[in-house]
Amino acid sequence: MTSQTVTEQADPLKSVADAMKDAVSQATEDAARAKERIREIGPDIANSASRFAYTASYMVSYGIVYAAVFVAKSVPQENPIVEGFIDGGRAAIEAVNEAKGITAGDAAAAK
């Protein structure tokens, strides 16, 4: 083999090596740009996620409470079911106040 033949065979391998080197270099630059972009938009994504969670929770709780109040207002007040709900609600409030260490006198004064 002559030196010219060896050089011609080495050139294709050198071209492949150069192409791989360029690809790695470009990938590294792209990764650095992507990392910087994520740093820039990170707070925006967090704020958007927080706002979405707040709005979704608000809508769900509003829907549940509104429906419960609507049903409660549509039921006649003088019947055993409503009286049971009222008594149960009062008992629950008293139990919570007792757990917190609030006496009946303190609860009445707070109103």
Side-chain angles (χ1 to χ4, degrees):
M1 280 191 178
T2 64
S3 63
Q4 185 179 12
T5 308
V6 172
T7 306
E8 289 174 3
Q9 289 176 352
D11 284 342
L13 294 177
K14 185 175 184 323
S15 297
V16 170
D18 289 342
M20 290 180 71
K21 181 180 169 186
D22 291 342
V24 168
S25 174
Q26 186 64 38
T28 304
E29 291 173 13
D30 290 346
R33 282 194 297 256
K35 188 175 181 180
E36 183 62 31
R37 182 70 180 136
I38 288 171
R39 257 192 231 128
E40 291 172 3
I41 65 171
D44 293 338
I45 291 172
N47 288 339
S48 295
S50 176
R51 187 68 184 164
F52 173 77
Y54 171 82
T55 303
S57 300
Y58 180 90
M59 290 171 53
V60 168
S61 65
Y62 183 86
I64 290 170
V65 171
Y66 184 83
V69 169
F70 180 77
V71 169
K73 292 294 182 180
S74 65
V75 174
Q77 298 296 315
E78 281 75 31
N79 70 48
I81 295 173
V82 173
E83 289 175 8
F85 282 140
I86 291 170
D87 290 343
R90 285 187 186 137
I93 290 171
E94 289 174 10
V96 168
N97 288 339
E98 185 179 310
K100 289 182 177 180
I102 301 172
T103 62
D106 293 339
K111 289 182 182 181

